[in-house]
Amino acid sequence: MSERVVDARGSFCPGPLMELISNMKMMQVGDTLELLSTDTGSAADVPEWIKKVGHEMVDTEQDGEGTWHIRVRKAK
């Protein structure tokens, strides 16, 4: 299993979600990805997409600088 970090800070909707989707396609089941995003919409859009396609949300948090750290595990 591997972990990947995708830095989408400074990108606006739908940029961070599109970055997540394209990277998830290249990953293996069980791999995790951490999406870094300054777009507040990502905190709602990403979990919604993850639920829709059947992957696993690991964690979501916002740091003191306004960056969302959204961790996802590929489930299928």
Side-chain angles (χ1 to χ4, degrees):
M1 288 188 245
S2 67
E3 186 167 324
R4 181 181 300 212
V5 175
V6 175
D7 189 346
R9 290 177 287 191
S11 179
F12 297 98
C13 186
L17 180 60
M18 299 312 291
E19 288 283 331
L20 173 76
I21 292 169
S22 64
N23 277 274
M24 291 291 282
K25 289 179 181 177
M26 296 183 281
M27 296 171 64
Q28 301 295 317
V29 171
D31 289 352
T32 58
L33 180 144
E34 179 177 3
L35 177 67
L36 306 178
S37 177
T38 50
D39 179 41
T40 56
S42 296
D45 295 345
V46 170
E48 187 174 311
W49 180 80
I50 293 301
K51 182 179 178 182
K52 179 180 177 180
V53 297
H55 296 305
E56 177 188 347
M57 281 298 303
V58 176
D59 186 33
T60 302
E61 64 180 299
Q62 187 176 32
D63 67 21
E65 297 177 4
T67 299
W68 287 96
H69 296 258
I70 303 167
R71 293 174 191 86
V72 177
R73 182 171 295 115
K74 185 165 182 168
K76 60 180 185 173

